[in-house]
């Protein structure tokens, strides 16, 4: 395999070849069964320190949720929090490939340039359609003036939400900021995909067991290919999996890293990836699992519901 990233087309997916600098993958076009279709990707180099922060909820860097909680609110609901502001160069764009640029402004109003690393990167950029039928997890590069830059390919008109997971060095912890992005053109809203606990992507079958609960619970995602368990998952951004959870209606955001970590001597490389997850409250949620196998990062998508605290289990 060469060091260049190549797109391998199937009927509904574009695979993303992973290298040491592979930083961009996307899952879009989910069908009625929650199957994920991937879109274009490219390599992005991020600057970074080697400092890691503890995650929220007391679970440490691996197994914690980067929910960006502040003043009791779920992550991603605010464009400004704890003195930091997500400043998009534009909030309206045309469909297709766009040169997406933004800054993180600090308490003094100037662009922040010093960030601690969260899972190998100084900033994780998540872009999602409002209906949760499209999802991108990418990593821009930071220019010297504090501007983050990346090429995004958003092929369809609609309403999108942009999230930034960051750990400003002066703040000393993670925060998730969110802002709206509109892609102009004729827009036909779609329903959130129906509840599903099994999905397929690029020949891989991924199942999810466990419940979403405000009080917290374990979710176990199991990866199989051709009916056989996958036991040689590869580390992606310092973990065997990354789970982003978004609530339909307000897009409350949770980014969870799994229990254990590659190389710790006790965490197997699949087929199971276990996350301790607490969601902001009741509702319908869309879950996006990133995992890497055979040098390709893929995204499996699910829809689950969370009950009112103390109520029975929802499937």
């Amino acid at each position: 395999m060469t060091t260049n990233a190549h797109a391998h087309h199937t009927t509904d997916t574009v695979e993303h070849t992973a290298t040491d600098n592979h930083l961009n993958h996307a899952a879009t076009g989910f069908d009625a069964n929650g199957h994920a279709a991937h879109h274009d990707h490219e390599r992005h180099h991020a600057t970074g320190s080697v400092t890691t922060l503890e995650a929220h909820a007391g679970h440490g860097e691996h197994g914690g949720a980067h929910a960006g909680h502040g003043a009791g609110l779920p992550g991603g609901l605010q464009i400004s929090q704890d003195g930091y502001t997500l400043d998009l160069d534009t909030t309206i764009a045309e469909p297709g490939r766009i040169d997406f640029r933004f800054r993180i402004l600090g308490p003094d109003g100037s662009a922040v340039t010093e960030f601690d690393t969260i899972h190998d990167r100084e900033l994780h950029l998540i872009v999602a359609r409002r209906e949760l039928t499209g999802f991108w997890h990418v990593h821009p590069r930071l220019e010297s003036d504090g501007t983050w830059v990346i090429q995004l390919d958003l092929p369809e008109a609609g309403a999108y939400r942009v999230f930034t997971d960051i750990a400003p060095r002066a703040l000393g912890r993670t925060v998730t900021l969110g802002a709206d992005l509109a892609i102009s053109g004729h827009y036909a809203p779609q329903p959130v995909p129906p509840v599903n606990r099994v999905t397929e992507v690029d020949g891989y079958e991924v199942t999810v067991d466990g419940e979403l609960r405000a009080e917290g619970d374990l979710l176990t995602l199991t990866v199989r290919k051709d009916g056989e368990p996958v036991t040689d998952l590869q580390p992606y951004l310092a973990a065997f999996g990354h789970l982003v959870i978004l609530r339909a209606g307000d897009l409350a955001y949770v980014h969870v890293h799994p229990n254990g970590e590659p190389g710790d001597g006790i965490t197997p490389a699949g087929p199971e990836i276990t996350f301790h997850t607490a969601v902001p409250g009741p509702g319908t949620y869309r879950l996006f699992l990133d995992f890497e196998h055979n040098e390709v990062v893929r995204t499996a998508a699910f829809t689950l519901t969370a009950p009112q605290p103390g109520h029975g289990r929802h499937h």
Side-chain angles (χ1 to χ4, degrees):
M1 178 170 293
T2 68
T3 56
N4 292 325
H6 300 278
H8 305 277
H9 293 269
T10 65
T11 56
D12 64 348
T13 63
V14 175
E15 297 178 352
H16 303 286
T17 305
T19 70
D20 289 341
N21 293 316
H22 173 80
L23 298 175
N24 187 350
H25 66 279
T28 62
F30 302 108
D31 65 20
N33 295 316
H35 299 170
H38 294 248
H39 279 274
D40 196 16
H41 72 287
E42 63 185 85
R43 202 185 320 264
H44 298 279
H45 300 273
T47 61
S49 68
V50 295
T51 306
T52 57
L53 298 181
E54 284 197 348
H56 298 293
H59 296 290
E61 168 67 11
H62 299 266
H66 293 282
H69 292 178
L73 290 174
L77 297 183
Q78 301 182 93
I79 199 169
S80 184
Q81 182 179 320
D82 299 332
Y84 293 85
T85 300
L86 174 55
D87 179 32
L88 304 185
D89 266 18
T90 181
T91 57
I92 302 174
E94 296 291 326
R97 185 171 290 272
I98 61 174
D99 185 28
F100 189 65
R101 305 170 69 89
F102 62 92
R103 298 181 300 162
I104 304 296
L105 303 181
D108 63 357
S110 62
V112 178
T113 58
E114 293 188 347
F115 298 86
D116 286 317
T117 301
I118 309 170
H119 274 256
D120 283 354
R121 300 290 177 257
E122 288 187 322
L123 185 144
H124 295 260
L125 179 68
I126 304 295
V127 182
R129 292 193 60 144
R130 275 279 175 185
E131 301 98 329
L132 303 178
T133 55
F135 174 86
W136 295 258
H137 178 179
V138 296
H139 301 90
R141 73 177 187 272
L142 177 61
E143 297 186 336
S144 59
D145 67 351
T147 300
W148 293 90
V149 181
I150 192 169
Q151 290 274 310
L152 286 179
D153 189 5
L154 304 177
E156 296 180 317
Y160 293 75
R161 187 72 172 173
V162 175
F163 304 91
T164 56
D165 269 345
I166 52 172
R169 189 161 297 162
L171 183 64
R173 58 183 174 82
T174 61
V175 63
T176 302
L177 304 176
D180 287 336
L181 174 65
I183 302 300
S184 60
H186 177 69
Y187 170 40
Q190 305 172 35
V192 175
V195 170
N196 67 307
R197 287 183 171 268
V198 181
T199 193
E200 292 185 2
V201 54
D202 299 343
Y204 292 80
E205 181 186 86
V206 186
T207 60
V208 57
D209 294 299
E211 306 297 328
L212 290 180
R213 298 181 183 280
E215 56 268 35
D217 206 343
L218 289 178
L219 289 182
T220 299
L221 292 104
T222 303
V223 183
R224 296 180 177 87
K225 183 169 176 57
D226 300 325
E228 298 297 324
V230 175
T231 59
D232 57 347
L233 292 172
Q234 296 166 291
Y236 173 62
L237 300 175
F240 286 128
H242 292 261
L243 185 65
V244 171
I245 304 173
L246 296 169
R247 180 167 59 184
D250 64 358
L251 270 63
Y253 174 100
V254 180
H255 183 179
V256 195
H257 300 126
N259 298 335
E261 60 184 88
D264 64 6
I266 58 174
T267 303
E272 295 182 346
I273 315 169
T274 301
F275 301 83
H276 188 281
T277 303
V279 293
T284 298
Y285 288 85
R286 195 80 168 134
L287 291 75
F288 303 94
L289 172 71
D290 297 334
F291 67 96
E292 183 174 334
H293 189 243
N294 289 337
E295 310 299 328
V296 177
V297 176
R298 299 172 173 86
T299 301
F302 306 87
T303 302
L304 299 180
T305 58
Q308 290 282 353
H311 285 212
R313 293 176 177 261
H314 287 201
H315 295 277

